[in-house]
Amino acid sequence: VQLQASGGGSVQPGGSLGLSCAASGVALEDYAIGWFRQAPEKGRELVAAIGSDDNTHHADSAKGRFTISRDFTRRVVYLSMNSLKPEDTAVYYCAAGRDYPRYGPSWYFQPDEYPYWGQGTQVTVSS
């Protein structure tokens, strides 16, 4: 399994960025893909996840601003980020984990449930 994250960069507050996670060796139909982030001296936290059932899960900080989606044909999961704030500055990672219908929403927020990780991409929001 390989996950390749891309699309990070620098943007001013209020701006937008789009991240992409290209997946290989994993069937997106069977796996949840999560976008996590880690700021300096902070733990890794979920930003948004999309389950194999197409349900999405967002951190409260991301609701209304970030959108996760996926393209099965291109095997890519996207994270569209709008109205960015300085506190969104972090290294962003995509991760894959096998999920099942019986899993509740809280499962998607646990980094340890995702065994496959891509390299991070830096997002910096600053004026």
Side-chain angles (χ1 to χ4, degrees):
V1 176
Q2 287 192 327
L3 302 172
Q4 182 75 32
S6 61
S10 295
V11 66
Q12 292 186 339
S16 300
L17 276 176
L19 304 183
S20 299
C21 177
S24 60
V26 60
L28 292 183
E29 298 84 352
D30 296 328
Y31 278 74
I33 302 294
W35 279 102
F36 289 80
R37 68 186 180 190
Q38 188 164 17
E41 301 182 1
K42 291 189 177 181
R44 197 167 289 191
E45 63 173 0
L46 180 78
V47 174
I50 185 165
S52 59
D53 59 1
D54 263 353
N55 285 332
T56 60
H57 309 270
H58 292 78
D60 288 344
S61 60
K63 288 178 181 176
R65 300 189 300 128
F66 294 5
T67 303
I68 188 170
S69 61
R70 60 184 172 183
D71 183 327
F72 286 108
T73 302
R74 296 186 177 184
R75 304 176 65 81
V76 178
V77 176
Y78 302 98
L79 183 69
S80 175
M81 304 185 293
N82 299 308
S83 302
L84 283 161
K85 305 174 182 180
E87 51 263 44
D88 294 318
T89 296
V91 178
Y92 284 69
Y93 301 87
C94 60
R98 186 73 163 90
D99 66 339
Y100 295 91
R102 64 180 180 272
Y103 291 172
S106 62
W107 182 91
Y108 296 89
F109 289 80
Q110 308 306 315
D112 290 346
E113 300 293 353
Y114 296 77
Y116 308 109
W117 290 78
Q119 90 293 355
T121 184
Q122 176 71 44
V123 171
T124 302
V125 184
S126 173
S127 55

